[in-house]
Amino acid sequence: MTAPRIEVAVRAQAKLGEGPAWDPSAGRLLWVDILSARIHTFDPADGRRTVMATEQHVGAALPRAGGGLVVNLRDGIGLYGPGGDFSWLVRDPVPGRRGNDAAVAPDGALWAGSMRYDETPGGGTLIRVAPGAADTAAGTVTDTRPVSVGNGTGWSPDGRTMYYVDTPTGRIDRFRADTHSPGEPLVDEGPLVTIEPGAGHPDGLTVDADGCVWVALWDGAAIRRYTPDGELDRTVELPVRRPTSCAFGGPELRDLYITTARVGVAAPHPLTGSLLVLPDAGQGVADTPFAG
């Protein structure tokens, strides 16, 4: 078998590159540098890039159904309008805590993770922000679950299963999604897989059209693909030690984009902090934009 061809989409030196997400309406990839408080965009058609500064550390930036972005910030969930105007949707500042990864469910709700800067166990949360929410009125946040490092979140193509990573557990967990009622506990269906010691720590993830889960292994220098049965199907070795997340993008959703981090790397590879891409890696699934 021919070895996968890792390419450089954007050569950068991101401190903590994270959260790749394809924006189909604009034909561009969104990604963030959390610790530099920057939202990046990349258009693979012409190579055009933009960088927007945020007022706080930003864990994720995702498209909204009406245009603009929903962002997971240090102090809560914010909204950028199509013209760049900002407003808070959920403001919940906690000293020492910041937003991390986030994803939008098939019903248009946002699931957003957070963590303590010092990674205190149980110091973060996973919240569900209701679709259609327009302000900070009661009921916007319909679920809250304590976690340590809220990370990768995704759904099976049929919407029945939610996959979730709380990184210190070393697992990709499964929850029943199609019968979940807002405000009720998620039904735990057990782990999809537990990453073996020494292989790295599970971070961001995405789910492809075959229902397989692709996960970035922080300190593992690799991306793995697991089948819906939890079997290891593919390993893509990377030149960088700390990949953080992955997402399918491009016009046909066949290219796998990979964010990487420089933070804490003593002797970084020249591509550390860059946005990488694995062309024609598989077939992605179109993500739902945030309905709020």
Side-chain angles (χ1 to χ4, degrees), residues 182-278:
E184 297 296 325
L186 288 165
V187 177
D188 192 339
E189 294 194 316
L192 173 72
V193 67
T194 299
I195 306 300
E196 69 274 18
H201 310 284
D203 201 328
L205 63 78
T206 192
V207 184
D208 66 22
D210 294 325
C212 294
V213 178
W214 298 72
V215 62
L217 296 181
W218 173 274
D219 278 339
I223 300 287
R224 286 184 177 180
R225 182 183 193 249
Y226 288 95
T227 70
D229 294 325
E231 297 296 323
L232 177 59
D233 175 73
R234 186 176 181 186
T235 299
V236 180
E237 295 182 356
L238 302 172
V240 298
R241 174 180 156 194
R242 289 186 162 175
T244 57
S245 191
C246 55
F248 283 94
E252 298 179 355
L253 297 177
R254 294 198 57 82
D255 301 328
L256 188 72
Y257 288 89
I258 302 163
T259 47
T260 68
R262 295 179 69 83
V263 63
V265 180
H269 183 277
L271 295 181
T272 299
S274 295
L275 176 68
L276 307 179
V277 61
L278 180 62

